[in-house]
Amino acid sequence: MSTMRSKVIRVWEVLDAGETARSAYERVLARPTSLEVARNTICLLLWLETIAGVHVLEDVSAMEGSGNITLSRLVTEADALYNYLLHGREALPEPCCLAGIPAIEALCSSGRLVDLRFFKFHRDLVARGLTVVRDTIAEVVFSDRLHAMLRRFEDEVHSSTTSVTTSVLPAPELIAPFVAITRTPPEDSRTAFVAFWEGHPLSSQDIVNYFERRLGFGRCIERVETEQPSAGQTPKHAVIVFSSAALRQQVMFNETAVYYRVNGYDMWVQAYKPSL
């Protein structure tokens, strides 16, 4: 009886899949930007790409480089957010604390889900995801050495004559298995982000009742957490942790993102799709 084996992912496959991220990284560096700031920026954008429908890296790679005000603003916001999320700062540094994150919001459908409050509320979850991205995929994306090896291999393949059968093999580093030392906790793979319209919040119990009783899915939710906003604000964000990834998929009708009408108000629910 044969057993199922998971597909081995090679380093060159990660390089190939990360081509857009590499292009965006080079675009940010060309501003010019320090290596640390550029890497912080791309790590944050790589994580944002795990939210379905947000293809920010492709947009960034197509931006003009030096002197681009939008790109400069984006880099400033992304670097500030990265440091806030991962380096234990209790308050966001300027300019985010003063003017929000308009450049990031514009890339992410104008703040329907992703805004400054999103990062504050989901700080721990995003930090976990950023750590995984930083320690795995990003290391390959940022490696000049690996990219140089891949270019040499591609040049050798293209320059080899078709009349003579020549076996051109990639460097051992390229065909080595891609090993992810850190991974996203299983809970995050059964998590969904929730956004309400401003001024029309729903309670955690409203959300549980809607899925488990109104839609009739039964016990499908482990917990719901709702944002506790600042004075004068109403909750805008929540997070649902489903009992399993399969139940999340079922409740969301196999869609990545769904609008629901709960108690007369719209609720946007978007599945979290971690990179690893």
Side-chain angles (χ1 to χ4, degrees):
M1 182 176 177
S2 62
T3 57
M4 294 293 291
R5 294 183 180 180
S6 58
K7 181 181 182 295
V8 176
I9 300 175
R10 305 293 175 180
V11 170
W12 73 264
E13 292 177 289
V14 180
L15 283 168
D16 186 57
E19 183 178 354
T20 303
R22 177 69 185 191
S23 178
Y25 174 58
E26 292 175 348
R27 177 66 66 193
V28 171
L29 281 175
R31 288 186 54 241
T33 308
S34 71
L35 282 174
E36 180 183 1
V37 171
R39 291 175 178 180
N40 292 352
T41 298
I42 298 304
C43 280
L44 185 75
L45 299 184
L46 273 166
W47 183 86
L48 281 173
E49 291 247 335
T50 67
I51 300 175
V54 181
H55 303 295
V56 292
L57 291 165
E58 185 176 348
D59 291 338
V60 171
S61 65
M63 287 181 179
E64 295 180 3
S66 179
N68 187 312
I69 296 175
T70 301
L71 180 58
S72 295
R73 174 76 199 197
L74 176 66
V75 170
T76 301
E77 291 174 7
D79 181 55
L81 276 173
Y82 181 94
N83 284 296
Y84 164 73
L85 292 161
L86 282 188
H87 294 168
R89 294 182 179 176
E90 291 304 316
L92 279 164
E94 295 184 20
C96 293
C97 61
L98 300 176
I101 49 172
I104 291 176
E105 287 184 22
L107 284 177
C108 301
S109 303
S110 300
R112 177 183 61 193
L113 177 67
V114 177
D115 57 12
L116 190 56
R117 285 170 60 176
F118 172 90
F119 287 103
K120 289 181 177 179
F121 176 63
H122 295 293
R123 181 176 180 178
D124 291 343
L125 186 152
V126 181
R128 290 197 301 270
L130 279 174
T131 300
V132 173
V133 168
R134 180 196 64 193
D135 295 343
T136 56
I137 299 170
E139 287 196 354
V140 175
V141 170
F142 300 148
S143 175
D144 296 336
R145 179 168 165 270
L146 289 174
H147 281 274
M149 287 181 182
L150 183 61
R151 284 194 297 269
R152 282 197 299 271
F153 169 65
E154 291 172 342
D155 290 343
E156 289 174 3
V157 170
H158 293 151
S159 63
S160 62
T161 60
T162 57
S163 58
V164 179
T165 302
T166 306
S167 178
V168 180
L169 297 176
E173 291 90 339
L174 296 180
I175 59 176
F178 173 72
V179 179
I181 299 174
T182 58
R183 285 186 174 273
T184 304
E187 177 181 297
D188 290 356
S189 297
R190 48 190 174 93
T191 293
F193 300 112
V194 179
F196 315 119
W197 289 107
E198 193 76 41
H200 299 293
L202 297 165
S203 70
S204 297
Q205 195 59 52
D206 287 334
I207 296 171
V208 172
N209 290 341
Y210 179 76
F211 287 116
E212 296 189 347
R213 297 181 183 179
R214 177 73 181 277
L215 296 185
F217 285 104
R219 296 291 296 274
C220 62
I221 293 175
E222 181 177 300
R223 71 178 188 277
V224 177
E225 297 174 11
T226 305
E227 177 189 23
Q228 299 298 316
S230 302
Q233 296 178 328
T234 59
K236 185 181 177 184
H237 295 283
V239 63
I240 304 173
V241 179
F242 289 93
S243 301
S244 69
L247 277 170
R248 183 187 71 176
Q249 188 174 14
Q250 183 182 357
V251 169
M252 296 186 67
F253 308 104
N254 297 319
E255 299 288 342
T256 303
V258 185
Y259 265 121
Y260 298 92
R261 189 77 172 169
V262 184
N263 298 343
Y265 300 131
D266 285 334
M267 177 176 71
W268 176 259
V269 179
Q270 192 148 356
Y272 179 30
K273 302 285 189 178
S275 302
L276 293 167

